[in-house]
Amino acid sequence: MPKLRLIGAAVGALCCAPLHAANYSNTIFFGDSLSDAGSFAPALPAGTGRFTTNPGPVWAEVLAARLGFEITPANQGGTDYAEGGARVSQLPGVPDSPPTGTATPVATQVANYLASTGGLSDPNALYAVWGGANDLFTIAPSAASDPAAAQAYLQTTAAQLATEVARLAATGARHIIVWNLPDIGATPFGQSQGAAGAAGLTQLAAGYNQLLGVSLAATGVAVIQLDSFALLNEVIADPARYGFTSASLPACGTTPSLLCTEASLVAPGADQDFVFADGVHPTTAGHAVLADYAASVLAAPAQISQLAELPVRTQTALSRRLWRTAEVALSTSAPGGNGAWASIEGGRTELCPDEATPWGLAVGVDRRVGENTIAGVAMSFDRSEPDWGAGGSFEAQDVALSGYLGHRQGAASITAHLTLASTEYDSDRRIRLGAATRSLSGAPDGNRAALGVQAAYALSAGSIHHGPLASILLQEVSVQSFAETPNDGSTSATLVYGKQRRRSTLLSLGWQAFMRTGSWTPYASLVFSHDAEADGRQVKVSTSLSPTPVQFDAATAADSYATANLGVVGQLGEQLQLGLDIASVVGNDDLKDTRMSATIRMPF
């Protein structure tokens, strides 16, 4: 039941965050007991075989399920090569007794994987490497008496693990998670060694983590470094916040986690209420927190990428208003006359999976500078707060200055605009770690520039006029780099994002029609658009440990869609003109965008 419950929770979380199986072709794990999905299970009693509160899954299984994969041990034909007791490069395993004494070292696990693939790593798979704890247990008994030897051993071990990570990268792997060691001194085993013994284990783990960071940096490989050391201490400092009643006692009592079942638990539900199954291994719920943490890091880049995507939609809507304003001015302004206008716009936008209800205000003035030409300027303000569901939200406030032109020659017209805008963001990314919810905030600035040109031709058929229209809209959006700030001082899950740049080349072709009926002119159009630069954008992300930013794919942007537009323009007396407009994107499931606007225009 615990396993089914956790997988169900994983599927639920998948609906609230942009963490999709399509992002990765597979999930492949290397390491020791912390990532072992049951490599020894066939030789053990039924219902046992994982180093946790069996039959609960380890973090690797939970994360894989969230990505749409069901992993099994490599020695049973699967993609989880981790084996309990494994050291980085040497034998015997820890402890040196069956079944862990013959555990396959991490270096051999990587070699076995590459042997099965012809020496190439799948570039679209997600990899995870977590090792070194058993090497620490090997050297710990002699560390106090010979600290220099312990330091040299751990330095060699950390370098060897970094070499295996670099080997995966050199053979094609692009997405590699590397965990550091948890604070072993803070575990029930560590605490059982007394204050001095616990402090020594903490020092060894921290030292190894530092050496691993240096070794990974020396390879130059960009990896997703996750901080189990900090996370464990955050949970231990306030277990109740994360849904635990105990972070100091083993849920399995004296039974080793490998053989622990529900019958071994010291209390009913201890697999969910305790952090540790035995002296060092997490319970089912403890592993779920690890998976929550990893999933939050993998989901964040797609979420934050929307900060650069939303302004594209904002500008597209603004460009449509400016083109329409220029067309109306060409039709109604007297020679040498001036016009002032104001508009309000609102609607609903879904940039899968984000939802928002944007609204905006714009004011402008224009003048007919020639018999067939108008020129104007406009100031606009737009605000939107897309919702990431359980993942939080962000707010974008946008101020733009635009200049626009319109020219008509017979049945042909051309309108153009140039827009410069500044955007202020407030992001609130929320992550679930067990029962706890963390809020991670950011406040970057951004800007955009846009140039749009639309050409139209109107054929006459009595009171009805219709014809083709075509446009090109060039945009460049940038969002400055920023670091997240945690609301509670917990730093393990904070991320740093590099500067984002989103370019858009929107090519559109459609047909419009309008009818002159006295003082009112209804109109309609259907326009097909293609964004030639919607695909392939990436976001650079660093964790609290990563010296080199990792490039993640941005959330999928809609590259082709149609926009249906209906509206009417008419006179409200001699000096006042009213325009009503609704435009809605159709034909693309990844993009839903409907905008309604009302515009008042007055000559002066």
Side-chain angles (χ1 to χ4, degrees):
M1 288 301 294
K3 182 175 182 180
L4 293 177
R5 184 163 67 249
L6 279 170
I7 291 178
V11 172
L14 188 63
C15 299
C16 301
L19 184 62
H20 303 299
N23 291 341
Y24 303 104
S25 60
N26 209 340
T27 52
I28 302 163
F29 299 88
F30 306 97
D32 52 30
S33 55
L34 292 172
S35 305
D36 187 342
S39 59
F40 302 131
L44 297 173
T48 64
R50 293 177 179 84
F51 293 82
T52 184
T53 42
N54 290 280
V58 298
W59 78 274
E61 294 173 278
V62 178
L63 179 64
R66 295 188 184 191
L67 292 166
F69 302 101
E70 182 178 354
I71 65 166
T72 55
N75 62 10
Q76 297 159 42
T79 59
D80 189 344
Y81 288 80
E83 292 187 15
R87 293 160 67 185
V88 171
S89 65
Q90 299 183 42
L91 284 167
V94 177
D96 184 11
S97 59
T100 55
T102 57
T104 306
V106 176
T108 307
Q109 295 171 19
V110 174
N112 290 343
Y113 164 70
L114 292 175
S116 72
T117 63
L120 297 176
S121 296
D122 180 356
N124 298 314
L126 176 68
Y127 298 83
V129 180
W130 197 354
N134 290 310
D135 292 277
L136 186 149
F137 289 131
T138 299
I139 199 65
S142 61
S145 59
D146 194 349
Q151 172 78 6
Y153 178 86
L154 293 180
Q155 186 169 5
T156 298
T157 301
Q160 289 171 336
L161 192 69
T163 296
E164 297 310 314
V165 172
R167 180 182 301 178
L168 289 170
T171 54
R174 296 187 298 124
H175 312 287
I176 309 173
I177 292 172
V178 180
W179 290 86
N180 69 2
L181 292 187
D183 183 356
I184 296 173
T187 65
F189 167 77
Q191 292 297 296
S192 72
Q193 305 303 300
L201 289 169
T202 294
Q203 184 177 5
L204 286 174
Y208 175 85
N209 289 341
Q210 183 177 13
L211 293 168
L212 178 61
V214 171
S215 297
L216 288 170
T219 68
V221 176
V223 299
I224 308 161
Q225 292 192 55
L226 299 184
D227 195 352
S228 71
F229 190 97
L231 178 64
L232 174 62
N233 282 320
E234 290 163 357
V235 173
I236 290 175
D238 189 4
R241 181 188 176 198
Y242 298 89
F244 298 107
T245 59
S246 174
S248 60
L249 299 175
C252 302
T254 58
T255 303
S257 60
L258 184 63
L259 301 175
C260 179
T261 65
E262 187 175 355
S264 311
L265 300 179
V266 297
D271 59 327
Q272 299 297 316
D273 297 335
F274 285 41
V275 175
F276 293 100
D278 57 16
V280 293
H281 297 102
T283 59
T284 298
H287 273 289
V289 171
L290 294 171
D292 287 341
Y293 171 40
S296 75
V297 173
L298 295 176
Q303 290 174 293
I304 297 300
S305 73
Q306 296 295 352
L307 272 64
E309 192 63 38
L310 180 67
V312 174
R313 301 307 315 160
T314 300
Q315 180 62 56
T316 302
L318 176 61
S319 296
R320 189 166 50 242
R321 275 191 284 173
L322 293 172
W323 285 328
R324 174 60 58 186
T325 296
E327 286 279 2
V328 170
L330 282 172
S331 301
T332 60
S333 293
N338 302 317
W341 57 272
S343 72
I344 183 170
E345 181 180 74
R348 181 179 179 83
T349 300
E350 292 184 24
L351 301 171
C352 183
D354 304 339
E355 298 182 1
T357 53
W359 63 272
L361 300 170
V363 294
V365 294
D366 49 52
R367 178 179 177 83
R368 188 178 286 269
V369 294
E371 183 178 354
N372 301 309
T373 304
I374 64 100
V377 294
M379 179 74 74
S380 57
F381 172 83
D382 289 275
R383 183 180 183 278
S384 188
E385 190 172 353
D387 187 3
W388 293 324
S393 64
F394 74 91
E395 179 182 308
Q397 296 189 80
D398 184 289
V399 177
L401 177 65
S402 303
Y404 58 94
L405 293 168
H407 179 77
R408 175 170 291 152
Q409 195 69 41
S413 65
I414 185 168
T415 54
H417 72 81
L418 174 66
T419 298
L420 300 176
S422 176
T423 307
E424 294 182 354
Y425 298 96
D426 284 302
S427 67
D428 179 25
R429 187 172 67 92
R430 297 185 181 181
I431 64 172
R432 189 72 178 265
L433 297 174
T437 298
R438 287 191 190 172
S439 178
L440 306 169
S441 61
D445 293 326
N447 55 70
R448 76 172 184 273
L451 174 64
V453 180
Q454 178 176 274
Y457 191 86
L459 303 169
S460 296
S463 62
I464 297 177
H465 304 265
H466 64 95
L469 57 83
S471 66
I472 180 171
L473 175 59
L474 306 176
Q475 300 186 53
E476 180 164 317
V477 176
S478 66
V479 181
Q480 298 302 312
S481 60
F482 71 101
E484 292 178 325
T485 302
N487 66 342
D488 60 357
S490 301
T491 61
S492 62
T494 58
L495 299 175
V496 177
Y497 305 94
K499 183 177 180 178
Q500 294 189 59
R501 178 168 287 131
R502 165 71 158 103
R503 291 188 174 96
S504 173
T505 300
L506 192 66
L507 307 171
S508 302
L509 184 63
W511 202 269
Q512 66 174 347
F514 56 93
M515 182 172 61
R516 301 194 186 281
T517 57
S519 60
W520 293 92
T521 303
Y523 59 85
S525 66
L526 182 63
V527 177
F528 296 91
S529 302
H530 175 72
D531 189 342
E533 300 186 75
D535 297 327
R537 189 166 67 90
Q538 294 189 314
V539 180
K540 291 183 178 180
V541 179
S542 303
T543 69
S544 58
L545 300 176
S546 302
T548 305
V550 180
Q551 293 195 27
F552 288 84
D553 291 337
T556 301
D559 59 356
S560 298
Y561 55 89
T563 303
N565 187 202
L566 294 172
V568 63
V569 177
Q571 294 296 132
L572 294 177
E574 264 186 46
Q575 298 297 314
L576 202 61
Q577 189 180 69
L578 173 66
L580 300 174
D581 186 274
I582 180 171
S584 184
V585 169
V586 295
N588 192 309
D589 293 337
D590 291 331
L591 175 62
K592 294 179 175 63
D593 192 349
T594 299
R595 309 285 178 121
M596 295 173 288
S597 65
T599 302
I600 295 291
R601 181 178 178 84
M602 182 175 64
F604 69 93

